[in-house]
Amino acid sequence: MTDTAINRSIDAIWRSESAKIIAALTRIMRDVGLAEDLAQDSLLIALERWPQSGIPDNPGAWLMATAKRRAIDLLRRNKLRDRKYEELGYELNAHDEPDFDFGLDDYFGDDLLRLIFMTCHPILSAEARTALTLRLLGGLTTKEIAKAYLIPEPTVAQRITRAKLALSEMRVPFEVPPKAELTTRLSSVLEVIYLMFNEGYSASSGNRWLRPLLCEEALRLGRILAEIAQNEPEVYGLVALMEFQAARFKARVDSTGEPVLLMDQNRALWDDFLIKSGLAALDRAERLGGELGPYSLQAAIAACHAQARTALETDWVRISELYYELSQMASSPIIELNRAVALSMAHGPEIGLQIVDGLLSEPSLKNYHLLPSVRGDFLIKLGRLEEAQLEFISAAALAGNTRERELLLKRAAKCAKSKILKSKPAEDRSM
């Protein structure tokens, strides 16, 4: 194996194992920043040794054992050996060969859960939580995070540094929150994961509409959370929602990278495996009992789309009902906008336009490009092409993503062309 191939393998191993290693080291050191440094040390040692010695049979265990040796050495140097060695229980002796067959600690799942709650602690801003989670749990570099979010690399590095410092200064415990706080804190974790997925699924700015890396990492984190929080229905609801949406990836853009709207997508390109996985996760959420939460309800809506063989077979009545349930639970103007779309598909564009017109004075939607875009859709169906054209032009002016802006301008131009054709005499149009 060439050095380049080995380095690629090491990179893949690191992405897979780094979160477990950092979580275990955080339990030992009680400092997430120091834990990451020690984990990075083990990676550097692997990069030095493995090209000569070859990749071990159990590389995750090798990295874990090496990182723990570094932790023990540091504790010894800091004269905390007696107290910390008692906590560690002499699990690794610096002079003995580690038992690689034993692998990782049996309780790594608990450590990962604690780390997820730590990186998503509410004392951090949403931006800091997302950056830190991608760094420590996603294994992404600051450069990759910066590229994904189209922000300067120093900005990402500063957010991560400040977040780790804040967790240390505030002495945020490395623990799953007490039961009384669990629901609130879990919602913060799920929010970070879904924000990450959404930014990859429909990029808010830049020249690309999709950023698959963010979606892949968010889905991976959601699956990890589902493995270690097996009695939380909303975790499965979120995983199901992301599975359904990820299933549409290949159909969401054409060969030039231009967005393809849901109703125009080639459903033969949808990923059957991800759809089946989503249905299984949604079924698990429902079987856990209780009222479906916001993520599970959104997953149920996505399931209606996923199970329709063609756009015409979509059960818009059921989707409208689910949006109503969602609005009763988590009312927001955006949910109401989506409900308007569903109702228009089920009962005609007039009812959708009536709801949208009621949202025009909503302050939070003032700069939201999908409001005029949706209104434009309704106006086209009602034959009001000139008004629709103006709505698409307004939507394009508000869109931050280049690809989406281009699509909206094309729709505006199409309205103008249709308007001209409509105004011509019949004999002219046949030419």
Side-chain angles (χ1 to χ4, degrees), residues 91-103:
E91 60 181 321
L92 278 176
N93 186 298
H95 302 293
D96 292 340
E97 278 297 311
D99 181 2
F100 292 125
D101 292 330
F102 180 73

Side-chain angles (χ1 to χ4, degrees), residues 149-427:
Y149 280 92
L150 300 179
I151 54 179
E153 190 174 343
T155 301
V156 174
Q158 190 176 59
R159 284 178 185 172
I160 292 171
T161 300
R162 287 179 176 174
K164 290 189 287 189
L165 186 61
L167 293 176
S168 178
E169 288 180 345
M170 297 298 291
R171 298 184 178 180
V172 172
F174 181 65
E175 65 180 14
V176 175
K179 191 172 182 180
E181 300 176 25
L182 186 60
T183 301
T184 303
R185 292 282 301 280
L186 182 62
S187 67
S188 175
V189 172
L190 297 179
E191 179 186 11
V192 167
I193 293 174
Y194 195 44
L195 281 173
M196 191 188 307
F197 183 89
N198 268 343
E199 183 58 29
Y201 188 71
S202 183
S204 58
S205 58
N207 298 319
R208 296 173 60 196
W209 202 37
L210 298 179
R211 295 180 191 145
L213 181 62
L214 283 178
C215 291
E216 289 168 9
E217 289 304 322
L219 187 50
R220 188 172 72 85
L221 289 176
R223 288 167 176 163
I224 289 172
L225 192 57
E227 288 178 10
I228 54 186
Q230 297 184 5
N231 296 316
E232 296 293 338
E234 273 294 80
V235 175
Y236 288 97
L238 176 58
V239 170
L241 176 58
M242 293 190 293
E243 299 266 20
F244 289 135
Q245 291 179 327
R248 304 176 197 159
F249 256 40
K250 290 181 181 178
R252 292 192 75 235
V253 293
D254 63 18
S255 58
T256 68
E258 184 174 300
V260 179
L261 300 177
L262 176 62
M263 300 299 287
D264 299 326
Q265 288 175 16
N266 178 1
R267 300 189 177 212
L269 296 177
W270 287 6
D271 191 312
D272 287 337
F273 175 78
L274 287 174
I275 290 172
K276 289 176 182 176
S277 297
L279 290 171
L282 180 58
D283 179 65
R284 177 65 183 269
E286 292 171 342
R287 283 191 290 107
L288 283 170
E291 186 180 33
L292 291 182
Y295 293 112
S296 298
L297 284 172
Q298 290 178 77
I301 291 167
C304 290
H305 291 296
Q307 292 175 297
R309 290 175 297 177
T310 67
L312 293 175
E313 294 179 60
T314 306
D315 189 350
W316 287 106
V317 173
R318 175 59 179 155
I319 291 174
S320 303
E321 293 169 349
L322 289 167
Y323 268 122
Y324 177 76
E325 288 182 44
L326 185 61
S327 69
Q328 296 301 106
M329 179 177 297
S331 179
S332 82
I334 292 178
I335 291 174
E336 193 66 4
L337 181 62
N338 287 325
R339 190 171 78 90
V341 173
L343 285 169
S344 76
M345 297 299 293
H347 305 294
E350 296 87 355
I351 188 171
L353 185 61
Q354 183 179 355
I355 295 172
V356 166
D357 284 348
L359 295 172
L360 294 177
S361 59
E362 173 58 46
S364 63
L365 297 182
K366 182 180 179 181
N367 297 312
Y368 189 54
H369 69 287
L370 291 182
L371 179 61
S373 174
V374 168
R375 193 168 189 272
D377 282 330
F378 296 157
L379 290 169
I380 285 177
K381 292 173 182 176
L382 292 169
R384 294 158 61 176
L385 298 176
E386 187 171 353
E387 293 174 77
Q389 179 188 358
L390 294 175
E391 292 293 347
F392 288 128
I393 291 172
S394 296
L398 294 172
N401 184 277
T402 303
R403 290 290 191 176
E404 200 164 10
R405 187 184 308 119
E406 291 171 351
L407 175 63
L408 289 164
L409 290 174
K410 284 182 180 180
R411 300 194 73 191
K414 187 175 181 181
C415 287
K417 184 177 179 181
S418 298
K419 182 177 62 175
I420 293 170
L421 289 173
K422 188 176 180 181
S423 65
K424 283 186 176 183
E427 60 270 19

Side-chain angles (χ1 to χ4, degrees), residues 16-33:
S16 173
E17 303 293 337
S18 60
K20 302 171 191 176
I21 297 167
I22 293 169
L25 293 172
T26 303
R27 170 172 46 81
I28 294 168
M29 308 304 295
R30 300 292 160 172
D31 185 321
V32 70

